[in-house]
Amino acid sequence: MYKVGEIINHNKKDKIIKDFRPNLDNNLNATLVTAKIIIFYLFIGFTWILTSDYFVNLFVDDPERIIRIQSIKGFAYVIVTAIIFYIIIHKSIQMYIATISDLKMAYTGLDLSHQKALELDDKLFKVAYYDSLTGLPNKVLLEKTVSKYIEDHPQDGMIGFIYFDIDEFSNINEVKGHSFGDQLLQQIANLLNSKIEAPNMLARTGGDEFVLALFELNQLETYIPQVEYYINLIRTTFVLDEDDFFITYSVGVALYPDNGKDYITLLRHADAAQSIAKSKGKDQIVIFDDEMVTMIKQQTELLNYLRHAIANEEFSLHYQPIINLKDDQTSGVEALIRWQHPVKGFIPPLEFISISEKNGYIKEISEWVFKEVANQYEAWNIEGKQFRISINISPIMLMYDKFIPYMNEWIQTYHLDSSQITLEITESAIIEDIQKSVHVLKQLKKLGFIIALDDFGTGYSSLTYLQKLPIDIIKIDRSFISNIKPNTEEFHVLRYMIELAHHLNLLVVAEGIETIEQANMVKKYDVDLAQGYYFCRPMPQLRVIEYLKENKTN
Ligand code: C2E
Ligand code: CA
Ligand code: CA
């Protein structure tokens, strides 16, 4: 590995050693200085002996006094030279000590910065290759590791590349808060990582996305049980903040070398398999196969067709009656878009709505729906009775900046009675950004629209936030109704949902009623309105109007 710290320190050390290394010049200097001191000493000594004796003999005649003065002179000489030597030696030793301590300091500094550099180096390594929240390898390290393995095993290797994300994570994050979401990510990462052994690697590649790379899979037959084993470890209940959360995953698997010979292809294919797991209803493992490439191609083709659909007048609206269970009369209709392609035939909305949302094409489609509903609005006034119309609103439109002015202009231009129009918004769309949704919904209500929460019960289903939303109706999703059996947990939840909605003065619609039993059950539990094939399938406007007239005479 590239060690930044080491490079810095080697340079510094070299410089210091160069500055303090004894060399020839320094030796010469020392000899010269010492010689100068000795010459200076000899000069003082000789001058003292010669001049002092001369002056003593000049001024003193008494030989006894001369002897005494000479011994004092000797002492004075020793004291003066001692003082001079003291000064010289003291200065040299001071310099010597200063040099030694400078050297010491330089080396201590060197040690300190070396230590620091190593720490920094370690931090840089962690930032570059590890995720700070979970401590798992990040996608850079994952890519390096996978690419290196592929490079080392061009013929004999095998990798199981498992790409997964947490179902409904954004909802949990939004409802319970981000720090809660972070705790959940940490718990999942810790739990799974404690079972992963090298060379296998668990990496966090994004928000709630992880990759588990299983290296050295020796047999193709055993890898699916392995994937299942690891996913089942974390497909469990997590307790956070005294709440229980059963967490599931959408998992896509691609294999090296069968489904991709490099990291990017493996990632793309595992991602494609994962998005199929998602679109099939989440909580499942999908193994990549070549048909998925065809599927991806088909989606691109669909998008191309979609670009011409409006101009070629390929869209139409169907309407499905919504029945009031109190008197079995139709109270309104839901507008549902239909796409009839000249070559491909009928393409269901679930196939093209999400693609058009991803590609920004939903705006044009939605505007087409609004225009068409407005043009057909008058016809819903049947024999003096105005039927309420429900329109599905894409989450993208809800978050669109100019949505409120657009809706305002829409009712003004076509002289629509907004109190007769219900806007259906899915639960998951609202939870994506509750604050903004509440703000937009309040403004829509100010314009007079009725708001329905669509597909209720499929998302995070927190009943606690229901009272915060400015809504009038909840539509209980078909999947919830069709799976229900008396005295199961779901059954009690359904009853509680209905009670709570009524407590909050909300109307309850049951979607997807297909049998008389289901119709009777929802009636028994006080559901207000119902929709489903049992009553009437979605049909073009004229046929629904016929149905309404027929039903009235019955
Ligand atoms: P949704 O809003 O939940 O609409 C109800 C779906 O259930 C419709 O499917 C309807 O045909 C179907 N359905 C009604 N009764 C029954 C039943 O008894 N059994 C079964 N199995 N299905 C029943 P559709 O028309 O295929 O629409 C699917 C989804 O596409 C809609 O779900 C809605 O989310 C979306 N969608 C449809 N039209 C539009 C539109 O104009 N704009 C937007 N943004 N989305 C639309
Ligand atoms: Ca709907
Ligand atoms: Ca629905």
Side-chain angles (χ1 to χ4, degrees):
M1 193 193 64
Y2 174 73
K3 294 224 173 198
V4 184
E6 266 181 16
I7 288 169
I8 296 170
N9 283 314
H10 282 155
N11 290 342
K12 204 167 171 186
K13 210 185 233 168
D14 284 351
K15 190 174 178 303
I16 291 165
I17 289 169
K18 209 190 255 170
D19 287 350
F20 291 94
R21 199 186 300 151
N23 57 21
L24 209 62
D25 286 354
N26 290 347
N27 266 335
L28 205 66
N29 275 341
T31 315
L32 267 173
V33 171
T34 319
K36 271 184 196 167
I37 293 170
I38 297 298
I39 289 168
F40 177 70
Y41 167 73
L42 290 174
F43 174 75
I44 299 274
F46 285 135
T47 317
W48 179 257
I49 292 166
L50 292 174
T51 52
S52 63
D53 281 354
Y54 172 76
F55 281 112
V56 169
N57 287 332
L58 201 66
F59 297 109
V60 184
D61 295 328
D62 183 4
E64 253 183 49
R65 272 185 83 189
I66 289 175
I67 291 168
R68 245 185 289 138
I69 288 172
Q70 270 179 339
S71 72
I72 293 170
K73 199 165 58 90
F75 278 117
Y77 178 79
V78 172
I79 289 169
V80 170
T81 49
I83 290 171
I84 291 172
F85 275 116
Y86 173 82
I87 293 169
I88 292 173
I89 292 169
H90 182 261
K91 225 178 152 189
S92 310
I93 289 180
Q94 243 183 351
M95 266 169 66
Y96 174 75
I97 289 174
T99 311
I100 295 286
S101 80
D102 272 0
L103 256 172
K104 261 193 181 167
M105 261 170 58
Y107 274 95
T108 331
L110 183 83
D111 279 353
L112 260 182
S113 64
H114 184 68
Q115 186 58 34
K116 266 197 188 138
L118 281 182
E119 281 168 19
L120 180 76
D121 188 25
D122 206 37
K123 274 189 195 139
L124 283 176
F125 181 76
K126 283 208 171 109
V127 169
Y129 294 118
Y130 288 88
D131 165 49
S132 59
L133 180 72
T134 59
L136 292 179
N138 64 13
K139 58 179 163 194
V140 181
L141 186 55
L142 176 75
E143 177 169 0
K144 270 181 188 288
T145 314
V146 170
S147 301
K148 177 87 176 54
Y149 179 89
I150 291 176
E151 204 183 297
D152 294 347
H153 301 82
Q155 306 295 335
D156 57 333
M158 200 185 274
I159 310 172
F161 196 93
I162 299 132
Y163 184 83
F164 62 95
D165 80 9
I166 305 167
D167 295 332
E168 310 303 340
F169 183 72
S170 60
N171 296 352
I172 295 171
N173 225 359
E174 205 57 55
V175 175
K176 299 291 289 184
H178 287 261
S179 71
F180 189 92
D182 285 354
Q183 279 180 47
L184 179 64
L185 289 171
Q186 281 168 335
Q187 285 202 14
I188 292 171
N190 288 345
L191 179 58
L192 185 52
N193 206 36
S194 66
K195 305 287 180 199
I196 307 289
E197 278 174 21
N200 297 340
M201 177 184 268
L202 174 67
R204 180 174 175 223
T205 53
D208 65 330
E209 288 155 10
F210 297 84
V211 169
L212 172 57
L214 300 177
F215 296 95
E216 292 169 11
L217 284 171
N218 30 26
Q219 277 174 325
L220 257 186
E221 300 74 54
T222 58
Y223 88 90
I224 295 177
Q226 271 201 60
V227 175
E228 280 170 347
Y229 163 76
Y230 285 119
I231 295 299
N232 280 334
L233 270 176
I234 48 172
R235 188 184 175 279
T236 179
T237 303
F238 288 85
V239 184
L240 280 161
D241 204 15
E242 293 175 357
D243 278 337
D244 287 1
F245 287 87
F246 188 76
I247 302 295
T248 63
Y249 307 84
S250 297
V251 187
V253 182
L255 282 180
Y256 166 78
D258 293 22
N259 309 138
K261 291 200 169 28
D262 57 71
Y263 173 80
I264 295 292
T265 316
L266 280 172
L267 179 68
R268 207 178 56 231
H269 288 172
D271 183 22
Q274 191 251 17
S275 56
I276 287 165
K278 233 176 203 137
S279 65
K280 280 186 172 171
K282 305 175 181 174
D283 190 17
Q284 52 194 291
I285 300 169
V286 171
I287 317 284
F288 180 85
D289 64 45
D290 291 334
E291 276 174 30
M292 285 173 194
V293 178
T294 324
M295 223 162 112
I296 294 165
K297 271 194 196 136
Q298 278 172 348
Q299 287 191 349
T300 319
E301 191 187 49
L302 205 69
L303 197 68
N304 284 334
Y305 290 144
L306 213 50
R307 288 187 221 285
H308 308 109
I310 293 182
N312 294 348
E313 297 184 356
E314 290 162 12
F315 287 133
S316 67
L317 282 186
H318 278 195
Y319 294 91
Q320 184 177 37
I322 300 171
I323 315 297
N324 185 341
L325 292 175
K326 302 285 172 300
D327 58 8
D328 289 333
Q329 293 296 306
T330 301
S331 75
V333 289
E334 177 177 0
L336 295 159
I337 195 166
R338 296 289 175 260
W339 180 18
Q340 188 71 31
H341 188 267
V343 180
K344 293 268 153 194
F346 173 71
I347 302 165
L350 284 178
E351 270 179 39
F352 68 87
I353 294 281
S354 65
I355 297 179
S356 60
E357 280 172 342
K358 277 188 205 135
N359 293 278
Y361 200 61
I362 190 69
K363 189 165 166 274
E364 268 179 77
I365 296 179
S366 302
E367 289 178 359
W368 178 87
V369 171
F370 284 122
K371 274 199 191 107
E372 190 70 357
V373 166
N375 288 330
Q376 299 183 338
Y377 179 78
E378 275 297 305
W380 290 114
N381 191 322
I382 302 163
E383 296 162 8
K385 183 181 178 202
Q386 180 68 42
F387 284 85
R388 190 178 276 171
I389 305 161
S390 295
I391 305 173
N392 291 290
I393 307 294
S394 155
I396 306 288
M397 292 304 284
L398 200 69
M399 294 298 144
Y400 171 51
D401 280 349
K402 299 192 177 75
F403 187 54
I404 300 297
Y406 176 86
M407 293 304 277
N408 192 20
E409 202 186 314
W410 180 61
I411 45 178
Q412 304 295 335
T413 313
Y414 292 95
H415 309 290
L416 306 172
D417 177 358
S418 54
S419 71
Q420 294 303 320
I421 294 167
T422 301
L423 304 178
E424 296 194 358
I425 292 133
T426 59
E427 188 193 4
S428 52
I430 288 177
I431 301 173
E432 284 280 304
D433 186 345
I434 288 198
Q435 269 186 334
K436 181 147 191 217
S437 305
V438 168
H439 177 72
V440 177
L441 293 183
K442 277 188 179 156
Q443 287 185 286
L444 288 172
K445 275 187 75 76
K446 259 194 203 155
L447 290 178
F449 293 106
I450 310 287
I451 310 290
L453 191 59
D454 205 355
D455 301 350
F456 190 76
T458 52
Y460 174 58
S461 302
S462 162
L463 297 167
T464 45
Y465 73 92
L466 209 56
Q467 54 194 339
K468 288 191 209 152
L469 301 177
I471 54 170
D472 308 282
I473 299 170
I474 63 165
K475 297 188 76 170
I476 299 175
D477 192 67
R478 179 166 57 91
S479 61
F480 215 87
I481 303 282
S482 58
N483 294 331
I484 220 109
K485 290 188 183 65
N487 288 322
T488 56
E489 202 180 326
E490 286 88 354
F491 175 79
H492 294 298
V493 172
L494 175 70
R495 291 203 59 187
Y496 176 61
M497 258 183 204
I498 299 166
E499 258 174 50
L500 182 76
H502 285 158
H503 179 73
L504 296 170
N505 282 326
L506 304 174
L507 284 176
V508 180
V509 183
E511 290 189 300
I513 301 295
E514 291 180 346
T515 63
I516 187 164
E517 290 79 20
Q518 289 171 342
N520 287 337
M521 181 186 74
V522 292
K523 228 182 233 184
K524 189 172 157 200
Y525 295 117
D526 237 10
V527 170
D528 306 284
L529 301 143
Q531 222 178 321
Y533 295 169
Y534 170 70
F535 303 103
C536 187
R537 284 179 175 262
M539 296 185 297
Q541 189 184 37
L542 284 178
R543 287 194 44 207
V544 178
I545 290 174
E546 269 171 34
Y547 163 89
L548 293 178
K549 285 182 179 162
E550 248 175 56
N551 255 28
K552 232 182 152 196
T553 49
N554 278 348

